[in-house]
Each structure stands twice: as C-alpha cells, then as structure tokens.
Amino acid sequence: NNNTITQIEGMMGLISISFETDYKKQIVTHKVNLIQKKYASLLDARDINRFNTSYKVKDVQLMKETKTIAGKKCMKAEVTLENGEKVIVFYTDEIAVENPNWSNPYKAINGVLMEFQIERYGILTKFVAKRVTQEPIDDKEFAAPLDEYKIIPVEELDNMLNDLNPTK
C-alpha cells in the first residue's frame, strides 16, 4: 500500500532510528531507540518540510545515463542543492511505489532512490541499495502501537539526535 519503513542502526546497536511512512495519511512516525529509552514523534507534511531544510534541493536534472543497482535499472539525476553543491542520485521506476519521495528532500524525483546521499545532524551519509526483495509485510508493521515510546515534539527529538553528533 505504498508505505515504507526505513531503519538505521549505529553505535554497535545502541541506537536505532526508524521512519515509518504512511503515504495515504501523509504522516511519518519517527522512532528512536537510544540504549534502553524509546522516543517517537509524528511528523505531518509541515514538519517534514522543516525537517528537510538542512538539505534543500534547488534543481533536478534528469540524465540519460543508467546503471544497474541491486538488479534494477536505475536512471541518473544530477541534483543541485540550495548551497550550490551538486549531488548524483540514481533511482528506479521498477519498484511499484507511488510518489516514494514525498517525505524526503528528493521529492522531485519520481522513482525509488537506489543511490543517494543526505545530511542529517551534521553527518553526511551515502546510501546504496544492496538488494531488493519482494515479500509481503504485515500491515501491523505500519500500525505498531507506540505504548513503549515516549511521544515528544519533533523539535525535541531533533535536538536529541543533534546532541549525539560525534563531531560536536
């Protein structure tokens, strides 16, 4: 149903971050498990736009070049950020997800991102898909109760993650 969950783990499993995206409701549930503490924020479209301001896309040029990533034919795009930096992105239309980037800075690209970079909390991270699997996911994954999580404003969660930046 066009919903996605993106999970990132680090610091030898001491921290995990997930973004559970509900495309129909246009809401992202941002969860953080920090050691033994669990926090969550619900982001609507306005929150998501604020969340993406640190890595703002100014222009997207679709290129003719293609390459295969994780068994999928991917198209190249050259993205110009507001600060003038140019970023190369590869995406595919071979994965059936409608409007897959509505909640990230690459919303102008109509395809699933397979190679891209993003900056969050002062850390630039490059992602490259290694494999794509088609398997059913129980709808309960997208409606997991938040009973175990302390619900906090997105700004508070954002500040908490900024404070974890090892370069500060």
Side-chain angles (χ1 to χ4, degrees):
N1 295 328
N2 293 313
N3 293 327
T4 61
I5 298 175
T6 302
Q7 295 177 312
I8 303 166
E9 292 186 9
M11 298 172 65
M12 297 177 13
L14 294 177
I15 184 171
S16 70
I17 301 170
S18 71
F19 297 91
E20 300 174 7
T21 305
D22 184 322
Y23 287 85
K24 287 181 183 164
K25 295 179 183 174
Q26 297 274 299
I27 291 177
V28 173
T29 303
H30 184 192
K31 292 180 179 176
V32 174
N33 295 342
L34 182 57
I35 306 175
Q36 295 297 318
K37 297 180 181 178
K38 295 181 177 187
Y39 303 96
S41 292
L42 301 175
L43 291 80
D44 61 17
R46 188 184 69 232
D47 294 324
I48 290 164
N49 285 334
R50 273 198 325 262
F51 197 68
N52 289 328
T53 58
S54 66
Y55 201 79
K56 198 157 187 167
V57 172
K58 180 179 178 182
D59 185 52
V60 175
Q61 294 294 317
L62 304 180
M63 315 298 276
K64 292 183 180 184
E65 183 180 334
T66 63
K67 75 176 182 179
T68 301
I69 301 174
K72 303 291 182 188
K73 180 181 177 184
C74 297
M75 287 72 69
K76 180 180 182 178
E78 183 180 81
V79 176
T80 304
L81 303 178
E82 262 192 6
N83 66 7
E85 178 185 354
K86 297 213 184 272
V87 176
I88 300 300
V89 172
F90 284 90
Y91 64 97
T92 186
D93 59 6
E94 293 182 1
I95 300 171
V97 177
E98 294 173 31
N99 195 15
N101 303 311
W102 72 268
S103 63
N104 70 52
Y106 297 105
K107 59 185 162 198
I109 295 176
N110 189 19
V112 174
L113 300 175
M114 299 292 281
E115 181 176 325
F116 67 101
Q117 68 183 40
I118 196 161
E119 183 271 327
R120 289 276 194 261
Y121 312 112
I123 299 172
L124 182 65
T125 306
K126 182 175 182 176
F127 296 91
V128 181
K130 297 294 181 193
R131 74 177 181 275
V132 174
T133 58
Q134 300 287 339
E135 53 190 67
I137 299 174
D138 191 332
D139 285 343
K140 292 176 187 171
E141 290 286 327
F142 297 98
L146 294 171
D147 301 349
E148 300 175 14
Y149 290 82
K150 178 180 179 184
I151 307 299
I152 60 175
V154 67
E155 296 82 9
E156 187 177 333
L157 189 59
D158 211 28
N159 288 337
M160 183 185 310
L161 291 171
N162 250 330
D163 289 344
L164 291 174
N165 182 344
T167 63
K168 289 187 174 187

